[in-house]
Amino acid sequence: PTILLMAGSFGVKTIVQIYRDIIRVPMDFQMIVITGKNQRLYQTLKTTVMLSPKKTKLILFTQKVEQYMQASDLIITKPGGLTVTEALGKQLAFVGI
């Protein structure tokens, strides 16, 4: 399974802790983390991801969100209208933070 964790352009303040909590779940899964244009969050997560027991792809800004959604089984993000609509359209399980 693949979990997509998105922070959006402004980021979700608790995303680093959310990531740390998720990677402790004793299941086999991989993660995709998109930090948007938040360079500071990207840098903060970079070290955490390198030390993670879960395979994680860390991405700064991308225009391929649709492809990452398609490759995922679950998305965790802030519940903006466009993101929720896209997730529903792809029948992607959604957790709002």
Side-chain angles (χ1 to χ4, degrees):
T2 301
I3 298 172
L4 175 58
L5 179 60
M6 293 195 331
S9 296
F10 299 104
V12 176
K13 294 184 189 310
T14 58
I15 196 159
V16 176
Q17 189 57 50
I18 291 168
Y19 177 78
R20 288 179 180 149
D21 290 342
I22 292 170
I23 62 173
R24 285 188 275 174
V25 173
M27 288 177 54
D28 187 27
F29 59 88
Q30 61 185 358
M31 294 193 66
I32 301 168
V33 180
I34 301 175
T35 62
K37 295 181 180 179
N38 191 331
Q39 183 73 37
R40 191 167 167 202
L41 177 59
Y42 179 88
Q43 291 303 323
T44 300
L45 277 167
K46 199 172 182 179
T47 303
T48 305
V49 165
M50 285 192 304
L51 301 173
S52 173
K54 303 295 183 190
K55 181 178 178 184
T56 302
K57 181 167 183 70
L58 181 61
I59 302 162
L60 196 53
F61 178 79
T62 182
Q63 294 184 357
K64 297 180 180 181
V65 172
E66 181 181 356
Q67 291 170 299
Y68 290 116
M69 283 181 150
Q70 192 69 38
S72 299
D73 300 291
L74 171 70
I75 183 171
I76 302 171
T77 188
K78 63 182 177 71
L82 182 57
T83 304
V84 171
T85 302
E86 285 180 299
L88 286 171
K90 295 188 180 325
Q91 298 180 342
L92 179 60
F94 185 95
V95 175
I97 51 174

